[in-house]
Amino acid sequence: MPTFETELYRGGRFVADDAVYVADGEPLPANAFAIVSKKRYLAERAALDARAGRLGLVLETADTLDGLDSTLDRFATIVLRFARYADGRPYSLAHRLRHRLGYRGELRAAGDVLQDQIVFMLRGGFDALEISHAGTRAALRANRIVVVPTRGNAPAAQILEAAE
């Protein structure tokens, strides 16, 4: 779950996040944009699919897409959590979602999101980043990391200066 210090970076700027992470077993807010775990979605699929509000899914680093392939269009956002900087499994999931399964919704990186990873995250298909690292937020605010469009749909980013 994001902390109060986490900010959402999307489209080249920090934006308000209208999504609410809902823990397993907690009631869903009526008609709000709720993000639930894979475990909860699979256990409550019928009720969640019948729900009126937008729905997001969070996948932890060890989660797979098993059981989700036919329902991906249901999710407005899929959050892939980076448990730690050196773990590349979320990149593989992002690539599979974008390039093999054709997922068109928002693909959000969360967890250990650092400025050195942003180029690779954007190339991998992520289009939103939940950032809690103060140095990375400062680098983006100071335009030390510039996101530039490239051919195709994948933007690229350039790190202009290392954070202190």
Side-chain angles (χ1 to χ4, degrees):
M1 302 286 160
T3 67
F4 65 91
E5 297 172 5
T6 299
E7 293 183 81
L8 181 61
Y9 189 80
R10 177 192 301 138
R13 61 189 173 99
F14 287 97
V15 298
D17 188 0
D18 61 340
V20 177
Y21 284 89
V22 182
D24 294 349
E26 294 294 320
L28 292 172
N31 299 322
F33 180 12
I35 298 177
V36 299
S37 71
K38 176 184 175 184
K39 177 182 173 185
R40 182 173 189 164
Y41 178 73
L42 293 177
E44 302 174 23
R45 179 181 291 195
L48 291 170
D49 284 346
R51 185 174 173 272
R54 292 186 297 158
L55 187 64
L57 179 74
V58 61
L59 297 174
E60 300 299 329
T61 303
D63 283 340
T64 67
L65 299 175
D66 294 347
L68 299 170
D69 291 5
S70 64
T71 61
L72 294 174
D73 291 339
R74 171 66 177 99
F75 305 110
T77 295
I78 296 178
V79 180
L80 301 180
R81 191 168 308 282
F82 286 78
R84 58 189 175 91
Y85 176 81
D87 194 331
R89 288 178 287 182
Y91 292 107
S92 299
L93 279 177
H95 185 271
R96 184 171 174 203
L97 284 163
R98 285 288 191 224
H99 303 290
R100 291 189 182 171
L101 301 173
Y103 177 70
R104 296 280 180 220
E106 179 180 84
L107 197 53
R108 187 184 293 193
D112 203 8
V113 176
L114 303 175
Q115 69 178 11
D116 293 348
Q117 299 168 287
I118 291 175
V119 172
F120 304 108
M121 288 175 173
L122 296 175
R123 285 185 182 162
F126 288 96
D127 44 22
L129 311 170
E130 288 181 8
I131 301 172
S132 57
H133 183 257
T136 300
R137 290 193 317 254
L140 287 165
R141 282 200 170 86
N143 293 321
R144 290 187 306 216
I145 303 171
V146 179
V147 178
V148 294
T150 60
R151 291 193 303 173
N153 296 328
Q158 180 179 9
I159 299 171
L160 300 177
E161 179 180 326
E164 298 175 15

